[in-house]
Amino acid sequence: MTYWDPIPAVRALVGTPHPMWQDGVVRHDWSGPAPDGWANRDWRNVPGPFYTTGTDNCFTGRRCAPEHVAYEDEYCTEFVYRQPVEVAGVHELTCAGECDPFGAYGGDGDRHWTPDLVRDWWGERGRAREWALRVGRGEWATSEREQFRDVAAGARAYLAHLDHGLGEYLRDYVFWLSEGRPAAPGERLPKLDT
């Protein structure tokens, strides 16, 4: 795997019909900052260009992007648990951003993440694992409400990504942040644990 920069694909969508919709065009460049700003992002957002800050709680994000978006369990707002690694993922995340009434998605994470901040987030991933385990297996998983069961399903998907795949992605991302380019095949990637 090598890091794939999703930002050109995001910018190419602006003003064009969205591939996931019957009609309508993408009205916003999702590569910019979230309305509430980087400092207010949900702590569960994984490192990468995309993040959320105070989305609505109307359960729309996973309808568009179940492989990328999950809901937290206090207000059921959205967060990005998996960054896109192909154009289809960009389509899904931009759909989630467009469907959120607050437009509370940002795509300027590359301006804020540093290799050290990514390593710090990775070093604290136990907090995310504990949260995902509790929500994914607790009362949310057996709720009578389908939306609440989807909260649990998102938490389980987040946990699976934390345990399988996110570390490799973050090593590629740290290389991208350090070098300003993707790693070449066979090129040594940085460690996450210090």
Side-chain angles (χ1 to χ4, degrees):
M1 181 175 167
T2 187
Y3 183 77
W4 176 74
D5 181 10
I7 299 305
V10 171
R11 292 181 177 148
L13 283 174
V14 179
T16 67
H18 196 285
M20 293 177 66
W21 303 336
Q22 294 286 337
D23 54 10
V25 298
V26 177
R27 67 183 192 275
H28 185 76
D29 179 355
W30 295 102
S31 67
D36 288 343
W38 168 259
N40 294 313
R41 72 193 180 283
D42 188 290
W43 63 269
R44 286 165 277 255
N45 283 286
V46 298
F50 298 102
Y51 61 96
T52 62
T53 61
T55 67
D56 195 357
N57 57 1
C58 52
F59 299 102
T60 58
R62 286 183 53 79
R63 289 184 203 157
C64 292
E67 299 297 318
H68 301 279
V69 172
Y71 307 121
E72 53 83 27
D73 61 323
E74 187 173 0
Y75 301 106
C76 298
T77 58
E78 302 166 14
F79 65 93
V80 177
Y81 80 85
R82 179 182 289 132
Q83 297 288 334
V85 295
E86 60 188 10
V87 172
V90 168
H91 294 167
E92 292 172 8
L93 271 178
T94 57
C95 177
E98 292 276 327
C99 290
D100 179 53
F102 301 141
Y105 278 69
D108 67 332
D110 292 356
R111 294 183 190 154
H112 303 283
W113 286 109
T114 65
D116 286 341
L117 287 176
V118 172
R119 286 184 181 101
D120 290 347
W121 188 96
W122 181 251
E124 296 291 322
R125 70 189 177 281
R127 176 183 180 200
R129 283 194 92 261
E130 288 174 17
W131 174 86
L133 277 168
R134 179 178 55 78
V135 173
R137 295 182 181 160
E139 65 187 61
W140 293 86
T142 59
S143 173
E144 292 182 13
R145 293 189 59 193
E146 180 181 346
Q147 295 96 336
F148 291 170
R149 289 192 310 272
D150 197 31
V151 172
R156 289 189 302 272
Y158 183 38
L159 179 62
H161 187 51
L162 283 165
D163 290 346
H164 307 286
L166 181 57
E168 183 180 349
Y169 171 85
L170 292 179
R171 290 179 67 212
D172 284 319
Y173 187 56
V174 166
F175 188 97
W176 166 263
L177 291 173
S178 299
E179 303 297 324
R181 64 175 176 82
E187 198 164 8
R188 186 179 179 142
L189 294 174
K191 293 181 179 182
L192 291 178
D193 298 316
T194 54

